[in-house]
Amino acid sequence: MINKSLLTALSAVALTVLCWGCGDEPAPKDVSQVDVNYSIEISADLVNVLNMKIQYVGDEGEQKTVSDVGTKFSQSAKFTKFPAAFGMKLLVLSVNESALTKDSYTLRLTYTVSAVSYDNEGAVVQNCPQVDGGIFSTVVTADKIKSVLEKDVENGEYFSTSNSIDKKGKIIVSAY
């Protein structure tokens, strides 16, 4: 389980660093397209003990859901209409109690979101190699795993990220 206040604090620190590296103002060129890439790596233990689904914003803002969550997820989306919002979340549906057979469990998740905007000639206007990202890892023993997982189900999501593109195509990183 991820402590929400810890997640918020870590996200704020990470986003401050990430925004700075992305560049505050894109060059004064017209943006014609923004490409967004999503990536998640999940430990086998986490995939086995929780029933989850991934929701993300696909091409032109279409909401997408992946119900068959494995240890790796990677997806891209293209935006040509602005303003727009993009992001993803890992939702927790239920505990897979039949998988609770080990002495300890490594619950690890790594995720990244990147975005690049291009002008009409295909030149990069703004490059944000890591708009958002995080690493969560913990080892839980058999005597505590069920209560930890039940809290994750109660929270309903393991993590979420949300960012936007303004009306001129500038990638905006949202600190939440």
Side-chain angles (χ1 to χ4, degrees):
M1 180 187 87
I2 298 172
N3 180 314
K4 293 289 183 179
S5 59
L6 177 61
L7 174 60
T8 302
L10 291 173
S11 295
V13 170
L15 290 175
T16 301
V17 172
L18 296 174
C19 288
W20 205 38
C22 178
D24 289 331
E25 294 297 325
K29 298 178 183 177
D30 289 333
V31 173
S32 63
Q33 179 175 312
V34 175
D35 291 348
V36 174
N37 291 296
Y38 305 105
S39 174
I40 303 174
E41 289 190 27
I42 306 171
S43 66
D45 281 350
L46 190 55
V47 169
N48 290 334
V49 298
L50 286 175
N51 297 309
M52 301 174 284
K53 66 180 175 180
I54 297 169
Q55 289 182 335
Y56 67 96
V57 180
D59 292 341
E60 303 300 355
E62 182 181 356
Q63 297 295 314
K64 301 279 195 170
T65 300
V66 175
S67 297
D68 187 20
V69 176
T71 58
K72 292 188 181 198
F73 168 81
S74 180
Q75 189 63 47
S76 61
K78 294 188 184 310
F79 297 85
T80 58
K81 298 173 188 166
F82 315 120
F86 63 94
M88 68 176 167
K89 60 177 94 175
L90 181 62
L91 300 173
V92 179
L93 306 173
S94 62
V95 176
N96 182 2
E97 293 196 28
S98 65
L100 301 179
T101 59
K102 297 172 57 174
D103 292 334
S104 69
Y105 302 84
T106 301
L107 307 179
R108 185 180 62 253
L109 173 120
T110 304
Y111 75 95
T112 59
V113 180
S114 64
V116 180
S117 63
Y118 299 93
D119 65 14
N120 289 327
E121 288 82 42
V124 172
V125 175
Q126 187 181 13
N127 185 5
C128 299
Q130 192 170 0
V131 173
D132 199 354
I135 300 171
F136 311 108
S137 185
T138 188
V139 175
V140 181
T141 57
D143 62 326
K144 295 186 176 145
I145 190 69
K146 192 168 182 178
S147 65
V148 166
L149 297 176
E150 286 172 352
K151 287 179 185 174
D152 288 337
V153 171
E154 184 179 314
N155 288 335
E157 65 182 46
Y158 213 78
F159 82 94
S160 68
T161 177
S162 177
N163 299 283
S164 61
I165 305 164
D166 74 9
K167 65 183 180 181
K168 293 185 178 184
K170 179 182 174 190
I171 301 162
I172 307 295
V173 177
S174 303
Y176 53 92

